[in-house]
Amino acid sequence: MLQSFFNSWVTQNLITMAIIAVVMVAAVMMSRREYWRVAAREVCQKRAARFSFVILCIYAVVALLDSIGWRRPVVDASTGKTVLHASTGKPILDHGASALDYILKPISSKKETTYSAPLAERQFTTVIERAEDGSVARVHKALNYPCQHLLGTDIIGADVLALSLKSIRTGLIIGFLTTLIVIPFALFFGLCAGYYGGWADDIVQYLCTLISSIPSVLLIAALMLISGRGLPQLCMAVALTSWTGLCRLVRGEAIHLREMEYVQAARALGVSSWRIIVRHILPNLLHLVLINLVLKFSGLVLAEATLTYLGLGVSAETISWGTMINDARSELTRDPIIWWKLTSAFVFMLGLVLPANIFGDAVRDALDPRLRTQ
Amino acid sequence: MHYIIRRVLYFIPTLFSVNLFVFMLFFVVNTPDHIAKQALGEKASTPEMVQRWKEARGYALPLFFNRDSKGMGCLRDTIFYQKSLKMLWGDFGVSDMTLQPIGPEILRRIPPSLCLTFSVFLASLFFNIVIAMLVSANRNSHYDFGVQLACVFLMSVSSLIYIITAQYLFGKVLHVVPVSGFLPGKEMFRFLVLPVAIGILGNLGSGVRFYRTLFLEEMGRDYVRTARAKGLPEGKVLFVHVLKNALIPILTNVPVQLLMLIMGSLLLENFFSIPGMGGYTISAINAQDFAVVRTMVFLGSFLYMVGLVLTDLSYCLVDPRVKLV
């Protein structure tokens, strides 16, 4: 049920739009405040951070292009006309593909039959062929599209560059969707526990202890075994194991802010506690949330690969860096080895995680008041 | 003394609730019928086969309360008592797939796991601290900058990549060490060198950065200035005064980490075919062996909580300033 809901094109487009809207609204609201503008300027002053941000934006654009899709009428290859339904006369639509699929069509449609090295003219594997004079020889067959696969092809002849680009979406979804699930949970429980204290605090503390006492890999393993493999399930499982850290952080800060004079003044004036939380406490701990999320992001992308290898991540047919690395293990046992799939997955992954780490460090340096005073 | 007793008493209800949580997760969310159907094949299984499968593994019981039994039996002849509560005193039952008892299997697999994880732990601690010390002594130098850069880079590479490339390079091309496998005794060293090295490398990035901030924070303190002012050599200031004080936050993490070493390393043991706890967990996950995974989840959280109790107690040993009431 969940799987089909997430796989339908309409929902995917809607979710993508919603995410873009949320990010835009957050950016606009933050740019109105002097505090965030100063921090953004500080991040921008670092060359490495600026550069990382540009790379992250490129990755985000690729992922967005891959998330927006539509269905197109099927075109008959021989006549060049759209195929019409026999009884209704309406054009028949295909299964739908993302914008990135259409952009990548010149690459991904160049199908080979099996492995080929980057920019190779011939296949990587040999076949036995009988020549005209009857002699038998092992030959590397010529490719359908020689010298056109920048990163080679994999076992079924798919272009590795296209695969790597398609994996970007999976990686970003793991990082982003998990975060989106974690924030409301952690904020709600953390603020309730911190602001109200008493039995609310006891319950939240108890929940946190319970969940964090189970080693996260094992809890994810248990959840994934029960719910089955898949991208949405993976995000949920990882989110369920990782909200406790942020929750504790928010709780601690809320306890500290609760005693501040401006909060006490607001309370004395009879402001409702809901309004105090939203207007006076939440904005003052948002920097903690942001630091935590930016720093966690790269770990989540790396975790996907590891979990997929352990058989707990996305299903085998989902294109992701985890599945690519997983395949590469058997490819390295061949002789000569097939190195390009592992290398591309590694480079594309590094291209996301390294800037994310550098950018995360810059954001922490700019926002953490403890570091600023030093 | 009072504190210790209270801490241990607090530990018991938490342990019990973890037990209940694991039970809920594995038997209420995911019923035994469901597990049986998964194991036998969704379509191929008949109700009789499911019933026989459940009886062979002791799942053909009510969850919490058995009306058919007499006396204490109505509580004892239930899945909750047989499968969940018994774990509290170390009776883990049998594996779903092989029907072998889990307890002895775990005992057999702990030593290889410990050989691996303990060496990784000790060596990581040593390398992290030494490198972080050297870096923070030369703060803001080119050397510091280079190490920082290398740390970010090391952190950004998936550990799978380390394992696969190292296994290929040292095992297959250079033939320095065996690709994978394990032998007890003297031979063990040959098999463990590579996994331990990779384990260290994997921890290095985040470890050095963590200890560097710790040491830098400590170096800004007044006592360091005093020590320097009275003319102590820099090495003595760093490795005696700073290290001793920075050790408090380091050591308080140690009990939990030490106990968690028993759970083994999932990735390393799987890649290098080391017959330890991590490998056992992985094969159980791949075979959908719920009994073993359940045991591991419970054992992991049990060790974690014991570690937390020990941490609290070690506070008063390491830092005489901390008084527990």
Side-chain angles (χ1 to χ4, degrees):
Chain A
M1 221 300 279
L2 196 69
Q3 195 80 46
S4 65
F5 174 75
F6 272 96
N7 280 347
S8 100
W9 278 107
V10 182
T11 9
Q12 282 202 2
N13 284 344
L14 282 179
I15 291 176
T16 316
M17 294 297 173
I19 287 177
I20 297 176
V22 166
V23 172
M24 298 262 266
V25 168
V28 167
M29 281 173 75
M30 276 158 71
S31 69
R32 284 199 191 139
R33 299 219 170 207
E34 186 61 26
Y35 173 75
W36 295 103
R37 274 212 300 271
V38 170
R41 224 172 291 143
E42 203 169 305
V43 172
C44 283
Q45 271 166 6
K46 290 182 183 157
R47 201 154 32 128
R50 216 162 44 210
F51 192 61
S52 307
F53 184 68
V54 173
I55 296 178
L56 289 180
C57 285
I58 295 173
Y59 268 88
V61 167
V62 174
L64 284 179
L65 283 179
D66 202 10
S67 304
I68 296 174
W70 60 90
R71 294 172 70 176
R72 281 186 168 186
V74 179
V75 178
D76 193 331
S78 53
T79 59
K81 284 181 187 163
T82 52
V83 183
L84 300 180
H85 195 272
S87 55
T88 58
K90 284 180 184 164
I92 296 174
L93 299 175
D94 59 8
H95 289 299
S98 70
L100 186 72
D101 289 332
Y102 293 120
I103 296 172
L104 286 180
K105 205 145 200 186
I107 314 176
S108 56
S109 62
K110 287 174 184 158
K111 284 270 179 200
E112 307 294 345
T113 40
T114 182
Y115 289 118
S116 69
L119 294 176
E121 284 179 37
R122 299 183 161 273
Q123 274 178 12
F124 177 76
T125 46
T126 54
V127 283
I128 296 172
E129 216 167 56
R130 190 184 289 272
E132 274 164 22
D133 58 347
S135 63
V136 176
R138 299 185 72 91
V139 288
H140 295 271
K141 266 189 162 180
L143 290 179
N144 301 339
Y145 303 92
C147 296
Q148 291 192 15
H149 298 287
L150 197 59
L151 296 175
T153 54
D154 70 353
I155 189 163
I156 53 163
D159 190 274
V160 173
L161 177 64
L163 281 182
S164 314
L165 285 171
K166 291 282 284 179
S167 306
I168 290 177
R169 175 168 175 267
T170 317
L172 282 180
I173 283 184
I174 298 282
F176 213 79
L177 194 61
T178 311
T179 311
L180 280 188
I181 302 172
V182 164
I183 295 179
F185 267 96
L187 276 183
F188 177 76
F189 285 119
L191 284 172
C192 283
Y195 184 76
Y196 292 109
W199 57 267
D201 193 17
D202 289 340
I203 292 177
V204 172
Q205 286 276 65
Y206 177 74
L207 266 181
C208 281
T209 323
L210 190 64
I211 289 181
S212 58
S213 78
I214 302 174
S216 58
V217 182
L218 289 173
L219 187 54
I220 292 174
L223 291 170
M224 292 304 283
L225 269 189
I226 290 165
S227 65
R229 293 172 73 167
L231 192 54
Q233 290 98 313
L234 180 64
C235 290
M236 298 257 185
V238 176
L240 195 70
T241 54
S242 60
W243 65 276
T244 52
L246 185 59
C247 179
R248 286 215 176 102
L249 216 65
V250 169
R251 172 184 167 271
E253 193 65 14
I255 288 177
H256 169 70
L257 291 173
R258 185 178 63 183
E259 306 301 331
M260 297 298 255
E261 273 118 359
Y262 58 85
V263 174
Q264 306 229 322
R267 210 178 295 153
L269 287 171
V271 181
S272 70
S273 42
W274 165 247
R275 214 174 148 74
I276 291 180
I277 290 179
V278 173
R279 287 295 296 272
H280 300 290
I281 294 187
L282 187 60
N284 286 313
L285 48 76
L286 269 188
H287 70 277
L288 277 182
V289 178
L290 199 73
I291 293 172
N292 191 282
L293 298 182
V294 176
L295 289 180
K296 285 275 169 65
F297 178 82
S298 54
L300 289 172
V301 178
L302 290 178
E304 184 270 331
T306 315
L307 290 172
T308 303
Y309 173 78
L310 294 179
L312 299 169
V314 297
S315 51
E317 58 266 25
T318 311
I319 303 171
S320 81
W321 291 312
T323 44
M324 283 173 81
I325 294 177
N326 204 356
D327 296 341
R329 202 192 169 190
S330 60
E331 290 166 0
L332 278 183
T333 56
R334 297 172 71 118
D335 193 37
I337 56 160
I338 290 154
W339 50 269
W340 48 91
K341 204 169 175 187
L342 179 70
T343 318
S344 342
F346 162 65
V347 170
F348 273 84
M349 220 168 149
L350 189 68
L352 175 62
V353 177
L354 188 61
N357 273 335
I358 295 175
F359 186 69
D361 283 348
V363 168
R364 185 198 48 200
D365 291 346
L367 286 179
D368 198 335
R370 205 164 56 97
L371 287 174
R372 199 184 271 178
T373 50
Q374 270 182 9
Chain B
M1 200 57 212
H2 260 289
Y3 177 79
I4 297 173
I5 294 170
R6 224 180 42 194
R7 194 68 189 79
V8 173
L9 283 181
Y10 181 71
F11 165 78
I12 293 166
T14 329
L15 188 64
F16 191 75
S17 56
V18 165
N19 191 291
L20 190 68
F21 179 75
V22 175
F23 172 77
M24 291 295 219
L25 201 65
F26 278 93
F27 288 108
V28 181
V29 179
N30 196 34
T31 57
D33 281 320
H34 187 85
I35 305 174
K37 275 188 190 142
Q38 255 182 348
L40 295 168
E42 195 75 51
K43 293 200 178 91
S45 54
T46 59
E48 295 83 55
M49 280 164 73
V50 168
Q51 192 60 30
R52 220 173 323 128
W53 191 91
K54 276 161 62 181
E55 268 163 19
R57 288 154 186 82
Y59 290 145
L61 293 166
L63 285 180
F64 285 108
F65 193 80
N66 195 345
R67 289 216 180 85
D68 304 331
S69 302
K70 292 184 193 79
M72 282 305 282
C74 53
L75 288 178
R76 206 163 51 227
D77 296 341
T78 57
I79 294 183
F80 180 58
Y81 180 85
Q82 295 290 342
K83 295 286 169 190
S84 201
L85 270 189
K86 273 190 175 175
M87 290 206 285
L88 287 177
W89 50 92
D91 182 355
F92 297 122
V94 295
S95 151
D96 278 354
M97 293 297 150
T98 58
L99 294 181
Q100 300 293 317
I102 298 174
E105 185 70 26
I106 285 180
L107 285 183
R108 198 166 58 238
R109 281 168 178 273
I110 283 178
S113 259
L114 273 184
C115 289
L116 171 69
T117 48
F118 193 67
S119 359
V120 172
F121 175 74
L122 273 191
S124 292
L125 202 64
F126 174 75
F127 281 110
N128 287 348
I129 288 181
V130 168
I131 296 177
M133 211 40 143
L134 293 175
V135 168
S136 36
N138 306 305
R139 192 184 180 179
N140 291 334
S141 64
H142 287 293
Y143 175 66
D144 178 23
F145 184 72
V147 172
Q148 289 255 68
L149 209 66
C151 283
V152 179
F153 188 81
L154 282 178
M155 278 169 67
S156 306
V157 179
S158 166
S159 42
L160 290 173
I161 302 274
Y162 288 133
I163 300 178
I164 294 179
T165 24
Q167 216 172 20
Y168 172 73
L169 202 66
F170 295 104
K172 211 177 151 206
V173 178
L174 299 175
H175 294 289
V176 188
V177 287
V179 173
S180 71
F182 188 78
L183 279 174
K186 267 189 181 166
E187 286 287 279
M188 193 172 71
F189 179 73
R190 240 161 22 98
F191 286 99
L192 280 185
V193 170
L194 194 57
V196 169
I198 294 170
I200 297 168
L201 196 67
N203 291 339
L204 207 59
S206 53
V208 168
R209 274 161 58 107
F210 173 70
Y211 290 124
R212 179 180 171 273
T213 27
L214 215 66
F215 291 148
L216 283 183
E217 210 165 281
E218 209 60 38
M219 275 177 183
R221 299 275 159 91
D222 288 342
Y223 71 87
V224 177
R225 203 174 46 199
T226 315
R228 282 190 184 135
K230 75 177 181 189
L232 279 185
E234 188 66 19
K236 203 166 179 194
V237 175
L238 286 181
F239 281 93
V240 177
H241 293 253
V242 172
L243 188 60
K244 224 173 177 179
N245 283 285
L247 223 53
I248 297 167
I250 298 175
L251 280 185
T252 47
N253 280 328
V254 165
V256 173
Q257 288 174 346
L258 269 182
L259 280 174
M260 293 314 280
L261 293 181
I262 294 176
M263 297 306 290
S265 158
L266 295 183
L267 272 186
L268 289 175
E269 287 179 22
N270 181 258
F271 265 102
F272 291 97
S273 326
I274 294 166
M277 296 283 277
Y280 192 41
T281 316
I282 293 282
S283 47
I285 289 170
N286 288 334
Q288 309 238 320
D289 193 332
F290 283 89
V292 176
V293 176
R294 188 177 65 230
T295 309
M296 289 299 171
V297 170
F298 178 73
L299 198 64
S301 48
F302 172 76
L303 292 172
Y304 180 85
M305 284 188 299
V306 173
L308 280 188
V309 175
L310 293 181
T311 303
D312 284 357
L313 300 184
S314 70
Y315 260 119
C316 26
L317 294 179
V318 181
D319 190 351
R321 284 174 299 182
V322 178
K323 275 222 179 73
L324 300 166
V325 271

